[in-house]
Amino acid sequence: MPTTYKFCFGPWNISEGQDPYGPTTRPAQNFDWKLKALKKHGYDAMMFHDDDAVPDIDGKSDAQIRKECKELKKKLDDHGIAAEMVAPRLWFSPRTIDGAYTSNSAADRHYAIERSLRCIDLAHILDTDLIVLWLAREGTYLREAKNASRSVDLLVQAFDKMLSYDKKIRLSIEPKPNEPMDHAYVPTIGHALAIAQLTIDSKRVGCLIESAHAILAGLDPADEIDFAMTFKKLWSLHLNDQNGMKFDQDKPFGSTNLRSAFNQVRVLERTGYGKHGEYVCFDVHPFRTTRPEHWLNHLDNSRKTFLKLVKKARTFNDKAAQKLIADRNYQDLDQMVIEHLLGK
Ligand code: GLO
Ligand code: MG
C-alpha cells in the first residue's frame, strides 16, 4: 500500500524576515492566524516549542502552564489539528548562555532539565509522546572551555532523567553540526544513535533528520535517512534545502538540489517512513524578501514539490535501473535519473 503522507510545520516557520543584519520585513501574525493557515494549506499537525505552546513559560506557575496548555489542546481539537511533538527551547534563556544540559554551571544544567520535564508535561496534555531535542547550544565556541567526554556523560544524564520521568515518552534528537555553536557535540545521526545506546532505555531514543543539517555536516540527507531507518529510529523529519556549507538557510524543499530531494523522497518511499504515523515536517523559512501576501508560499511549495517527487519516485523505472546497475552502467543510470526528473 502506498503511504499517505501527513504534513506539519511549526509556528516559527511563518517567520518575519529578521536576520543577524536586519530587522523584520513582515508584521507578526498571531498564533490563531497560523493555526487557520495550517489547515487551509493542506497540513495536518503542528510542531511546538514548549514556549510556542505556553508563551513566557519560565515566568508561569505549574498550574498556569497546565491551564494554558489545556486551552491550546482544545483549540487544536476544534481545528482538527494534532500536535506532532514538543521541543524544549533551551537556547533563549539567560540560563542557557553556556549551553543547557552541558553548561559548566550546575545550577543552569538543573534549570535545563527541569524545563525539559515541564515540556514532557505539555506533551502529555497535547497528546504526543514525542519530545524533539535540537541541542542548539550543546557544543563549544572554544575547544578548551569544555570537555567533550564529560559533555556526553551530561547529555546521557539529562536524557535518563527525561526517560525515567515518563515511561512512555520518546526522545528524538535533531543533530546539527554547527550554528549557533562552532562545533556541536551531536553533529550527525551516527552521534545521536550512539549516545542513545548509553541511556537507560535506548529503545526510546531516536532521531530527527533535517536535510539542511546533514548538508552542513557534509553528508547526504538521503543516506542519513536510510541509516536512521535501518535502525528504525527515524521518528520525525525536517525537510528543507541548503546551498552549501554556509549559514543554516532552511530553503524550500528541493530549492537548491532537486535530485537530492528526489533521493530523499525515494528513500522515504522505499523504507516506509510515514507508515506508522510519522509526519513529514518542513522546517523552512520564507525568504526575507517575501511580501506578506505570499507568506505561506514556501510551505505550499515545499509540500507541492514533495508530492510531485513522490510521483516521480513511484514512476521511476526500477527494472530498467536494475539492469543498468547489473551491467555497471552507472553512466546511463545517471542520465536515466536526469531525464526522469526533467520529464517529457
Ligand atoms: C534549527 C533547527 C530548529 C529546530 C526546532 C525544533 O536549526 O532546525 O528549527 O528544528 O527548534 O526543535
Ligand atoms: Mg529543524
PDB file of all heavy atoms in Angstrom, residues 286-304:
ATOM      1  N   PRO A 286      10.387  31.579   4.970  1.00  0.00           N
ATOM      2  CA  PRO A 286      10.224  32.413   3.768  1.00  0.00           C
ATOM      3  C   PRO A 286      11.504  33.218   3.550  1.00  0.00           C
ATOM      4  O   PRO A 286      12.218  33.531   4.507  1.00  0.00           O
ATOM      5  CB  PRO A 286       9.076  33.358   4.122  1.00  0.00           C
ATOM      6  CG  PRO A 286       8.616  33.015   5.487  1.00  0.00           C
ATOM      7  CD  PRO A 286       9.568  32.057   6.094  1.00  0.00           C
ATOM      8  N   PHE A 287      11.773  33.558   2.320  1.00  0.00           N
ATOM      9  CA  PHE A 287      12.898  34.455   2.060  1.00  0.00           C
ATOM     10  C   PHE A 287      12.612  35.798   2.744  1.00  0.00           C
ATOM     11  O   PHE A 287      11.442  36.168   2.932  1.00  0.00           O
ATOM     12  CB  PHE A 287      13.085  34.669   0.553  1.00  0.00           C
ATOM     13  CG  PHE A 287      13.339  33.391  -0.210  1.00  0.00           C
ATOM     14  CD1 PHE A 287      12.605  33.094  -1.357  1.00  0.00           C
ATOM     15  CD2 PHE A 287      14.308  32.487   0.210  1.00  0.00           C
ATOM     16  CE1 PHE A 287      12.844  31.920  -2.071  1.00  0.00           C
ATOM     17  CE2 PHE A 287      14.545  31.309  -0.492  1.00  0.00           C
ATOM     18  CZ  PHE A 287      13.807  31.026  -1.635  1.00  0.00           C
ATOM     19  N   ARG A 288      13.663  36.522   3.040  1.00  0.00           N
ATOM     20  CA  ARG A 288      13.478  37.834   3.694  1.00  0.00           C
ATOM     21  C   ARG A 288      12.673  38.780   2.804  1.00  0.00           C
ATOM     22  O   ARG A 288      11.940  39.639   3.271  1.00  0.00           O
ATOM     23  CB  ARG A 288      14.854  38.439   4.026  1.00  0.00           C
ATOM     24  CG  ARG A 288      14.760  39.675   4.889  1.00  0.00           C
ATOM     25  CD  ARG A 288      16.085  40.015   5.556  1.00  0.00           C
ATOM     26  NE  ARG A 288      15.880  40.994   6.597  1.00  0.00           N
ATOM     27  CZ  ARG A 288      15.994  42.314   6.423  1.00  0.00           C
ATOM     28  NH1 ARG A 288      16.351  42.797   5.260  1.00  0.00           N
ATOM     29  NH2 ARG A 288      15.771  43.148   7.417  1.00  0.00           N
ATOM     30  N   THR A 289      12.804  38.567   1.487  1.00  0.00           N
ATOM     31  CA  THR A 289      12.146  39.435   0.507  1.00  0.00           C
ATOM     32  C   THR A 289      10.642  39.167   0.343  1.00  0.00           C
ATOM     33  O   THR A 289       9.951  39.927  -0.339  1.00  0.00           O
ATOM     34  CB  THR A 289      12.799  39.194  -0.870  1.00  0.00           C
ATOM     35  OG1 THR A 289      12.897  37.771  -1.073  1.00  0.00           O
ATOM     36  CG2 THR A 289      14.188  39.794  -0.951  1.00  0.00           C
ATOM     37  N   THR A 290      10.168  38.088   0.941  1.00  0.00           N
ATOM     38  CA  THR A 290       8.771  37.670   0.726  1.00  0.00           C
ATOM     39  C   THR A 290       7.767  38.702   1.259  1.00  0.00           C
ATOM     40  O   THR A 290       7.865  39.130   2.407  1.00  0.00           O
ATOM     41  CB  THR A 290       8.538  36.299   1.406  1.00  0.00           C
ATOM     42  OG1 THR A 290       9.452  35.372   0.826  1.00  0.00           O
ATOM     43  CG2 THR A 290       7.117  35.802   1.224  1.00  0.00           C
ATOM     44  N   ARG A 291       6.816  39.075   0.419  1.00  0.00           N
ATOM     45  CA  ARG A 291       5.763  40.007   0.830  1.00  0.00           C
ATOM     46  C   ARG A 291       4.728  39.266   1.693  1.00  0.00           C
ATOM     47  O   ARG A 291       4.502  38.069   1.486  1.00  0.00           O
ATOM     48  CB  ARG A 291       5.021  40.545  -0.395  1.00  0.00           C
ATOM     49  CG  ARG A 291       5.830  41.448  -1.282  1.00  0.00           C
ATOM     50  CD  ARG A 291       4.904  41.934  -2.419  1.00  0.00           C
ATOM     51  NE  ARG A 291       5.690  42.483  -3.519  1.00  0.00           N
ATOM     52  CZ  ARG A 291       6.213  43.704  -3.516  1.00  0.00           C
ATOM     53  NH1 ARG A 291       6.052  44.491  -2.478  1.00  0.00           N
ATOM     54  NH2 ARG A 291       6.910  44.134  -4.557  1.00  0.00           N
ATOM     55  N   PRO A 292       4.067  39.974   2.616  1.00  0.00           N
ATOM     56  CA  PRO A 292       3.069  39.318   3.477  1.00  0.00           C
ATOM     57  C   PRO A 292       2.028  38.522   2.687  1.00  0.00           C
ATOM     58  O   PRO A 292       1.595  37.465   3.115  1.00  0.00           O
ATOM     59  CB  PRO A 292       2.423  40.473   4.235  1.00  0.00           C
ATOM     60  CG  PRO A 292       3.448  41.551   4.227  1.00  0.00           C
ATOM     61  CD  PRO A 292       4.245  41.401   2.957  1.00  0.00           C
ATOM     62  N   GLU A 293       1.644  39.005   1.508  1.00  0.00           N
ATOM     63  CA  GLU A 293       0.601  38.279   0.758  1.00  0.00           C
ATOM     64  C   GLU A 293       1.116  36.959   0.166  1.00  0.00           C
ATOM     65  O   GLU A 293       0.341  36.157  -0.336  1.00  0.00           O
ATOM     66  CB  GLU A 293      -0.055  39.173  -0.309  1.00  0.00           C
ATOM     67  CG  GLU A 293       0.862  39.744  -1.372  1.00  0.00           C
ATOM     68  CD  GLU A 293       1.415  41.140  -1.010  1.00  0.00           C
ATOM     69  OE1 GLU A 293       1.666  41.407   0.195  1.00  0.00           O
ATOM     70  OE2 GLU A 293       1.607  41.947  -1.939  1.00  0.00           O
ATOM     71  N   HIS A 294       2.440  36.746   0.192  1.00  0.00           N
ATOM     72  CA  HIS A 294       2.998  35.474  -0.317  1.00  0.00           C
ATOM     73  C   HIS A 294       3.587  34.646   0.824  1.00  0.00           C
ATOM     74  O   HIS A 294       4.432  33.780   0.607  1.00  0.00           O
ATOM     75  CB  HIS A 294       4.109  35.756  -1.346  1.00  0.00           C
ATOM     76  CG  HIS A 294       3.715  36.708  -2.424  1.00  0.00           C
ATOM     77  ND1 HIS A 294       4.560  37.670  -2.928  1.00  0.00           N
ATOM     78  CD2 HIS A 294       2.534  36.843  -3.088  1.00  0.00           C
ATOM     79  CE1 HIS A 294       3.926  38.383  -3.859  1.00  0.00           C
ATOM     80  NE2 HIS A 294       2.698  37.898  -3.978  1.00  0.00           N
ATOM     81  N   TRP A 295       3.150  34.923   2.010  1.00  0.00           N
ATOM     82  CA  TRP A 295       3.817  34.465   3.221  1.00  0.00           C
ATOM     83  C   TRP A 295       3.847  32.948   3.404  1.00  0.00           C
ATOM     84  O   TRP A 295       4.722  32.402   4.049  1.00  0.00           O
ATOM     85  CB  TRP A 295       3.121  35.105   4.419  1.00  0.00           C
ATOM     86  CG  TRP A 295       3.968  35.255   5.619  1.00  0.00           C
ATOM     87  CD1 TRP A 295       5.147  34.608   5.894  1.00  0.00           C
ATOM     88  CD2 TRP A 295       3.725  36.101   6.733  1.00  0.00           C
ATOM     89  NE1 TRP A 295       5.638  35.004   7.099  1.00  0.00           N
ATOM     90  CE2 TRP A 295       4.770  35.927   7.631  1.00  0.00           C
ATOM     91  CE3 TRP A 295       2.700  36.983   7.062  1.00  0.00           C
ATOM     92  CZ2 TRP A 295       4.838  36.607   8.853  1.00  0.00           C
ATOM     93  CZ3 TRP A 295       2.778  37.652   8.264  1.00  0.00           C
ATOM     94  CH2 TRP A 295       3.827  37.473   9.148  1.00  0.00           C
ATOM     95  N   LEU A 296       2.825  32.259   2.892  1.00  0.00           N
ATOM     96  CA  LEU A 296       2.746  30.813   3.098  1.00  0.00           C
ATOM     97  C   LEU A 296       3.292  30.036   1.906  1.00  0.00           C
ATOM     98  O   LEU A 296       3.251  28.806   1.896  1.00  0.00           O
ATOM     99  CB  LEU A 296       1.290  30.395   3.372  1.00  0.00           C
ATOM    100  CG  LEU A 296       0.758  30.419   4.803  1.00  0.00           C
ATOM    101  CD1 LEU A 296       1.561  29.464   5.659  1.00  0.00           C
ATOM    102  CD2 LEU A 296       0.737  31.782   5.419  1.00  0.00           C
ATOM    103  N   ASN A 297       3.774  30.745   0.895  1.00  0.00           N
ATOM    104  CA  ASN A 297       4.149  30.067  -0.352  1.00  0.00           C
ATOM    105  C   ASN A 297       5.277  29.061  -0.163  1.00  0.00           C
ATOM    106  O   ASN A 297       5.315  28.026  -0.825  1.00  0.00           O
ATOM    107  CB  ASN A 297       4.544  31.082  -1.433  1.00  0.00           C
ATOM    108  CG  ASN A 297       3.356  31.913  -1.895  1.00  0.00           C
ATOM    109  OD1 ASN A 297       2.321  31.927  -1.229  1.00  0.00           O
ATOM    110  ND2 ASN A 297       3.490  32.586  -3.015  1.00  0.00           N
ATOM    111  N   HIS A 298       6.232  29.364   0.739  1.00  0.00           N
ATOM    112  CA  HIS A 298       7.341  28.412   0.941  1.00  0.00           C
ATOM    113  C   HIS A 298       6.835  27.080   1.495  1.00  0.00           C
ATOM    114  O   HIS A 298       7.373  26.024   1.181  1.00  0.00           O
ATOM    115  CB  HIS A 298       8.415  29.019   1.854  1.00  0.00           C
ATOM    116  CG  HIS A 298       7.921  29.311   3.250  1.00  0.00           C
ATOM    117  ND1 HIS A 298       6.801  30.074   3.513  1.00  0.00           N
ATOM    118  CD2 HIS A 298       8.381  28.909   4.451  1.00  0.00           C
ATOM    119  CE1 HIS A 298       6.614  30.141   4.825  1.00  0.00           C
ATOM    120  NE2 HIS A 298       7.557  29.435   5.406  1.00  0.00           N
ATOM    121  N   LEU A 299       5.744  27.143   2.289  1.00  0.00           N
ATOM    122  CA  LEU A 299       5.174  25.905   2.847  1.00  0.00           C
ATOM    123  C   LEU A 299       4.333  25.186   1.800  1.00  0.00           C
ATOM    124  O   LEU A 299       4.431  23.965   1.649  1.00  0.00           O
ATOM    125  CB  LEU A 299       4.349  26.235   4.090  1.00  0.00           C
ATOM    126  CG  LEU A 299       5.216  26.651   5.288  1.00  0.00           C
ATOM    127  CD1 LEU A 299       4.439  27.465   6.298  1.00  0.00           C
ATOM    128  CD2 LEU A 299       5.837  25.426   5.957  1.00  0.00           C
ATOM    129  N   ASP A 300       3.552  25.955   1.072  1.00  0.00           N
ATOM    130  CA  ASP A 300       2.782  25.391  -0.050  1.00  0.00           C
ATOM    131  C   ASP A 300       3.716  24.714  -1.045  1.00  0.00           C
ATOM    132  O   ASP A 300       3.493  23.579  -1.473  1.00  0.00           O
ATOM    133  CB  ASP A 300       2.100  26.531  -0.826  1.00  0.00           C
ATOM    134  CG  ASP A 300       0.668  26.725  -0.385  1.00  0.00           C
ATOM    135  OD1 ASP A 300       0.141  25.842   0.297  1.00  0.00           O
ATOM    136  OD2 ASP A 300       0.099  27.770  -0.731  1.00  0.00           O
ATOM    137  N   ASN A 301       4.762  25.451  -1.412  1.00  0.00           N
ATOM    138  CA  ASN A 301       5.656  24.962  -2.461  1.00  0.00           C
ATOM    139  C   ASN A 301       6.439  23.725  -2.012  1.00  0.00           C
ATOM    140  O   ASN A 301       6.648  22.801  -2.796  1.00  0.00           O
ATOM    141  CB  ASN A 301       6.622  26.076  -2.902  1.00  0.00           C
ATOM    142  CG  ASN A 301       5.869  27.215  -3.575  1.00  0.00           C
ATOM    143  OD1 ASN A 301       4.724  27.050  -3.989  1.00  0.00           O
ATOM    144  ND2 ASN A 301       6.498  28.378  -3.676  1.00  0.00           N
ATOM    145  N   SER A 302       6.867  23.694  -0.763  1.00  0.00           N
ATOM    146  CA  SER A 302       7.627  22.531  -0.271  1.00  0.00           C
ATOM    147  C   SER A 302       6.757  21.278  -0.326  1.00  0.00           C
ATOM    148  O   SER A 302       7.196  20.202  -0.747  1.00  0.00           O
ATOM    149  CB  SER A 302       8.096  22.760   1.168  1.00  0.00           C
ATOM    150  OG  SER A 302       9.073  23.776   1.193  1.00  0.00           O
ATOM    151  N   ARG A 303       5.500  21.452   0.086  1.00  0.00           N
ATOM    152  CA  ARG A 303       4.570  20.310   0.081  1.00  0.00           C
ATOM    153  C   ARG A 303       4.278  19.866  -1.352  1.00  0.00           C
ATOM    154  O   ARG A 303       4.256  18.681  -1.664  1.00  0.00           O
ATOM    155  CB  ARG A 303       3.283  20.720   0.811  1.00  0.00           C
ATOM    156  CG  ARG A 303       2.278  19.626   0.992  1.00  0.00           C
ATOM    157  CD  ARG A 303       1.135  20.106   1.875  1.00  0.00           C
ATOM    158  NE  ARG A 303       0.000  19.224   1.740  1.00  0.00           N
ATOM    159  CZ  ARG A 303      -0.888  19.293   0.745  1.00  0.00           C
ATOM    160  NH1 ARG A 303      -0.761  20.212  -0.190  1.00  0.00           N
ATOM    161  NH2 ARG A 303      -1.884  18.430   0.701  1.00  0.00           N
ATOM    162  N   LYS A 304       4.098  20.858  -2.223  1.00  0.00           N
ATOM    163  CA  LYS A 304       3.817  20.569  -3.632  1.00  0.00           C
ATOM    164  C   LYS A 304       4.995  19.809  -4.250  1.00  0.00           C
ATOM    165  O   LYS A 304       4.814  18.793  -4.930  1.00  0.00           O
ATOM    166  CB  LYS A 304       3.617  21.900  -4.370  1.00  0.00           C
ATOM    167  CG  LYS A 304       2.644  21.849  -5.521  1.00  0.00           C
ATOM    168  CD  LYS A 304       2.641  23.158  -6.294  1.00  0.00           C
ATOM    169  CE  LYS A 304       1.813  24.249  -5.640  1.00  0.00           C
ATOM    170  NZ  LYS A 304       1.969  25.557  -6.315  1.00  0.00           N
TER     171      LYS A 304
END
